[in-house]
Amino acid sequence: MKKTLLLVFSLLSIAAADSAFAADPAVKGEVSATGVYTDTSGNKAKFNEYRDLREFGVYGDIKLNCDSEKYFTDFNAGDFGYDTQHYNLNAGKYGDARLNLEYYEIPHNFTFDAKTPYVGAGSSNLTYPGAAPAASSANWNTFDYSIKRKNYGAGFKLDAVRPFFLDVSATREERKGTYAFGAAGTTPGGIAIELPAPIDYTTDNVQFAAGYVKNPVFLSVGFFHSNFSNDNLSFNFRNPATANTAATMDTYNLPPENSFYKVDFKGGVKLPMNSKFDVSLATARAKSDRSLFTSYVSDVTAAASNIGVQGRTGIGLSSNTFNGKIDSNSMTAALTSKPANFIDGKIFFKYYDTQNKSDTITTTDTTQTPSIFTNTPFDYRKVSYGAELGFRLPARFYLNTTYSHVKTNRTRFDIPENQDDTYGGELRWKGSKFMAARVGYERLNRTADIAAGEGLEPFIRRFDAASKNRDLYKAAVDLFPTDRLNISLTYRYRDTDYPDTTLGLQRDRRHEFAIDADYLLGKRARLFGFADYELIRYDQFQRQLPLGATTGFDPSTAPTATAFNWTAEQKDRSFGYTFGSDIFIIPDKLTLTVQHSFLKSDGSIDYTYLLGANPLPAGRNQDNIDIANWDDYKLRCWLVKLVYSVTRAVSITAGYAYENFSYSDDQYNGYVYVPATTGTNGAFLTGAYSDPSYKAHIVFLSASLRF
């Protein structure tokens, strides 16, 4: 808070000083205060996910503008003392220099009153009393999953020495809080443990740009440096799977510290025939170092209970420290031209290359087959080129055509190369005073070079790089039959097919439709509304094999009770709308706003086991294996607001808002903190994200003074 107050005083002091040397400045602004009462039931963290609305609160806002012929000052601030407080100052001399200072906070609340058997949630040491954590969560410790971000920024731009310019800025982001991390008690398998891990990150960025701007030339050089630091590179926890003591706790690694820099050059020159050539060159480096563990917790003995029978397995490393370093280089060139009124175009070329100079570490584990593993640093290179041509046609038609080719090479064991060809066109029409329309089509053809593999690899095609064909259709109509009525309709359909995929995602289809309307009913009311519908469908074909299988990888193999194919048809439907009205009870004096919003998402997965004549596993049938609730939610909102303009400078607002968020997902429905206490399927959970449903009533009253 001290830092915040000091920053506020600094901003106000600078603003006052700036106004002092301005001749006859024009000062205007707005000061407002809003009192809020909130009654929330259910998940208060979800309700306040990115905001800070308390049961009783007073929120203030200040906007100031001081403007003269030569100088300017803009200052705005709000939510003083809350987790969403913000301050921003822009001041300077027109055409010569500009100073910017800012500070703002953003909360991200995940779950309040989560539970854990551990003591010290959010610290770097998690332990619990006794030989093993209690199976009942009744007496567990409570804590909050929440992260708070503080952002500081300053920038200075100098244009006084034209045609040269200088632009310098620096930012800092601090993140502190507690976040849910998952750990396996042993490898492979073992119990699952949800851990409240500490978050204490700091990211510092510095950016510099200097250049020359004078028609017809633009030149600039830039430098960017970022440094990420973490006050907790790891944290320790007692592992219930090994019954270890506070003196022999396991360790969980957190994100390592790293640094990044980038140097770039940008240039442009205007050419004859309304043409311009632009080029950009950049080189960058990312570095990060990390100490490595020389053992892991493994299931070394078999027993009915998973408590106290596992131990550590040592591994050999060619180096106990991993030094990561990735260099990248990029180049972009583009030529745009409009040689005649009826035609314009662009051609471009892009190149991006990474060189992964990170360490190669050899791991030796005699308990596994194969016993030696060596990591492969990931490199890739992407080269693309293309063109756009636009044609102005008779009857106020405009046709835009595009083509691009992208070739990607990567050090990847399954798909080392892709080639993408994308072409499309869009036709626009503005031949009517009351209507504008546009239709478009885009086609993507992707080919993939497949590397040889063993087991399931010859049949698996991972969708991010697999061969695919994608068709995209889009259409839009804007109607404005009168000056008071505007209607906009849009539709998009995307169909992606993976023709070479046997096992994996085979098809992805998406429909999107939206309508937006606004109608001014004389001088008494304005009606507005919006509606959106989206349907997404994914089709998968996969294969189930028993653990440790050495045969039966071919999907054409006849099914058995433990080796068979299965399909999944996933659907996600979302629908939302908003409608409302501004009613001018007394024009320019008293306005009533009524608004209602609704958003619904309905997801499901239809599984089918292709077992042939073999029976399904005990207790299962083709219906109860489906997931009916897959990230299903509904959000209903109502807003009623009355604004009274006492004078041109003073206004009073009173209102009421209601929010109702309901959520259902089969992975959370029937949630328990300890789903099992014996066997390899046990778990100790904390309730993270378990039930985000809530209801909230919000009453507010605000007053505003403009000057």
Side-chain angles (χ1 to χ4, degrees):
M1 181 58 69
K2 289 183 179 180
K3 291 182 179 179
T4 302
L5 293 175
L6 287 173
L7 181 60
V8 174
F9 291 141
S10 299
L11 294 176
L12 293 173
S13 299
I14 294 173
D18 181 74
S19 301
F21 61 72
D24 300 323
V27 179
K28 60 182 179 179
E30 181 177 356
V31 178
S32 63
T34 303
V36 179
Y37 167 74
T38 305
D39 180 17
T40 307
S41 61
N43 195 314
K44 296 183 180 180
K46 182 64 177 179
F47 170 69
N48 270 311
E49 185 170 4
Y50 296 105
R51 55 190 175 187
D52 186 9
L53 286 180
R54 304 175 187 179
E55 183 177 1
F56 294 98
V58 178
Y59 301 80
D61 288 280
I62 298 175
K63 297 179 182 178
L64 293 174
N65 174 263
C66 183
D67 205 352
S68 69
E69 183 178 346
K70 293 183 179 181
Y71 303 98
F72 64 91
T73 300
D74 289 306
F75 174 74
N76 65 78
D79 293 358
F80 313 108
Y82 292 88
D83 291 341
T84 52
Q85 58 186 319
H86 56 276
Y87 310 87
N88 185 275
L89 171 72
N90 280 286
K93 184 178 181 181
Y94 286 112
D96 286 347
R98 174 189 294 268
L99 171 69
N100 171 256
L101 296 173
E102 66 176 0
Y103 172 81
Y104 60 94
E105 297 181 4
I106 302 176
H108 192 176
N109 301 308
F110 303 98
T111 305
F112 293 159
D113 296 326
K115 294 184 177 182
T116 181
Y118 289 99
V119 176
S123 70
S124 57
N125 287 284
L126 300 176
T127 186
Y128 50 79
S136 171
S137 62
N139 296 317
W140 286 8
N141 300 302
T142 60
F143 67 98
D144 295 339
Y145 280 123
S146 179
I147 296 176
K148 185 176 180 179
R149 291 192 296 174
K150 295 182 179 180
N151 296 268
Y152 310 81
F156 178 73
K157 187 173 182 179
L158 179 65
D159 294 314
V161 288
R162 286 183 296 269
F164 299 97
F165 71 88
L166 174 67
D167 194 347
V168 181
S169 64
T171 62
R172 163 171 281 198
E173 180 185 84
E174 298 175 353
R175 295 192 183 195
K176 294 186 178 182
T178 303
Y179 190 73
F181 279 73
T186 60
T187 302
I191 67 170
I193 314 169
E194 203 164 56
L195 302 168
I199 300 295
D200 197 348
Y201 305 158
T202 301
T203 303
D204 292 305
N205 298 324
V206 177
Q207 191 165 3
F208 165 88
Y212 174 88
V213 182
K214 188 174 183 180
N215 195 25
V217 176
F218 166 79
L219 300 171
S220 77
V221 292
F223 175 78
F224 174 80
H225 182 268
S226 179
N227 186 77
F228 171 80
S229 60
N230 185 358
D231 283 358
N232 296 290
L233 294 176
S234 61
F235 69 94
N236 303 316
F237 66 98
R238 289 188 66 184
N239 188 344
T242 60
N244 57 6
T245 66
T248 59
M249 293 198 290
D250 284 350
T251 302
Y252 193 117
N253 269 338
L254 294 176
E257 297 184 332
N258 59 76
S259 63
F260 172 83
Y261 77 81
K262 178 181 178 180
V263 180
D264 65 74
F265 166 79
K266 297 177 183 178
V269 58
K270 292 183 179 179
L271 303 173
M273 302 180 66
N274 290 324
S275 301
K276 185 180 179 182
F277 178 73
D278 295 288
V279 65
S280 175
L281 305 172
T283 184
R285 170 171 289 179
K287 294 183 65 177
S288 182
D289 303 330
R290 187 73 206 210
S291 298
L292 304 177
F293 294 145
T294 57
S295 65
Y296 63 93
V297 181
S298 62
D299 191 356
V300 296
T301 60
S305 171
N306 63 355
I307 303 296
V309 297
Q310 283 81 13
R312 285 182 171 82
T313 296
I315 56 176
L317 299 173
S318 59
S319 174
N320 291 341
T321 302
F322 177 79
N323 299 292
K325 182 169 68 174
I326 299 177
D327 292 339
S328 60
N329 299 284
S330 64
M331 190 272 280
T332 300
L335 175 65
T336 57
S337 180
K338 187 179 178 181
N341 185 54
F342 62 87
I343 188 172
D344 57 81
K346 175 183 178 180
I347 58 174
F348 66 88
F349 174 83
K350 297 180 180 180
Y351 173 85
Y352 185 81
D353 174 74
T354 65
Q355 301 175 26
N356 197 329
K357 301 177 181 179
S358 302
D359 291 347
T360 299
I361 306 294
T362 298
T363 303
T364 303
D365 182 359
T366 57
T367 66
Q368 302 293 322
T369 302
S371 61
I372 298 178
F373 172 79
T374 302
N375 66 299
T376 302
F378 179 75
D379 290 306
Y380 77 96
R381 181 177 67 253
K382 181 179 289 188
V383 178
S384 58
Y385 56 83
E388 297 182 17
L389 278 178
F391 304 92
R392 285 166 179 79
L393 306 176
R396 302 190 69 181
F397 280 98
Y398 178 80
L399 175 64
N400 187 58
T401 60
T402 61
Y403 170 77
S404 67
H405 176 83
V406 181
K407 182 177 181 180
T408 305
N409 296 94
R410 56 178 82 86
T411 53
R412 178 165 159 170
F413 74 94
D414 59 339
I415 305 177
E417 181 177 304
N418 282 121
Q419 295 198 51
D420 297 354
D421 289 287
T422 306
Y423 53 89
E426 182 178 75
L427 183 64
R428 309 171 198 161
W429 180 67
K430 295 183 178 179
S432 171
K433 294 182 179 180
F434 63 86
M435 184 176 73
R438 56 192 182 276
V439 294
Y441 172 76
E442 182 182 275
R443 171 75 175 188
L444 166 65
N445 294 326
R446 169 175 290 175
T447 60
D449 287 352
I450 308 301
E454 299 178 351
L456 287 173
E457 287 302 322
F459 310 100
I460 294 177
R461 300 292 181 268
R462 294 166 180 85
F463 72 92
D464 65 316
S467 299
K468 67 179 180 182
N469 300 317
R470 186 186 69 205
D471 294 295
L472 173 62
Y473 306 86
K474 51 187 177 180
V477 177
D478 296 319
L479 302 171
F480 24 88
T482 70
D483 293 340
R484 299 176 180 272
L485 177 62
N486 296 285
I487 303 174
S488 178
L489 300 98
T490 60
Y491 174 73
R492 289 167 58 94
Y493 173 65
R494 187 173 73 181
D495 188 353
T496 306
D497 178 52
Y498 298 84
D500 298 333
T501 296
T502 303
L503 297 178
L505 181 64
Q506 294 188 330
R507 197 172 182 186
D508 175 354
R509 285 164 284 179
R510 303 175 181 230
H511 297 267
E512 301 174 35
F513 174 78
I515 180 171
D516 191 357
D518 186 290
Y519 179 59
L520 185 62
L521 189 62
K523 296 182 179 180
R524 289 297 181 181
R526 182 178 74 93
L527 306 177
F528 55 89
F530 170 82
D532 175 88
Y533 175 78
E534 183 175 4
L535 171 63
I536 304 175
R537 174 175 169 174
Y538 305 99
D539 295 330
Q540 296 185 57
F541 184 82
Q542 305 287 2
R543 183 158 180 80
Q544 171 73 29
L545 290 172
L547 184 64
T550 57
T551 60
F553 302 110
D554 191 339
S556 63
T557 304
T560 69
T562 58
F564 56 90
N565 301 326
W566 56 270
T567 64
E569 180 184 302
Q570 178 180 338
K571 291 182 179 179
D572 291 303
R573 304 176 186 86
S574 63
F575 172 66
Y577 64 79
T578 295
F579 66 82
S581 175
D582 292 325
I583 303 172
F584 311 119
I585 301 173
I586 304 176
D588 301 323
K589 196 73 174 178
L590 184 62
T591 301
L592 174 66
T593 298
V594 180
Q595 180 177 312
H596 171 58
S597 298
F598 176 80
L599 178 62
K600 177 182 178 180
S601 177
D602 181 12
S604 63
I605 303 180
D606 183 358
Y607 289 104
T608 302
Y609 287 0
L610 305 178
L611 278 162
N614 299 287
L616 270 70
R620 303 184 192 180
N621 57 57
Q622 297 289 10
D623 292 326
N624 66 17
I625 63 175
D626 298 336
I627 299 178
N629 299 307
W630 179 265
D631 195 28
D632 291 358
Y633 60 85
K634 294 179 182 178
L635 176 63
R636 300 177 179 88
C637 301
W638 283 95
L639 172 66
V640 180
K641 182 174 67 174
L642 190 65
V643 180
Y644 176 57
S645 298
V646 181
T647 67
R648 290 187 176 183
V650 178
S651 64
I652 298 175
T653 302
Y656 166 78
Y658 172 74
E659 292 185 16
N660 185 341
F661 180 75
S662 59
Y663 183 83
S664 178
D665 192 304
D666 283 346
Q667 68 175 329
Y668 290 114
N669 295 343
Y671 187 93
V672 292
Y673 290 91
V674 186
T677 57
T678 61
T680 59
N681 295 321
F684 291 93
L685 306 179
T686 62
Y689 323 107
S690 60
D691 185 9
S693 302
Y694 68 84
K695 294 180 181 179
H697 302 268
I698 307 165
V699 179
F700 57 92
L701 177 65
S702 68
S704 175
L705 171 64
R706 292 178 294 276
F707 54 89

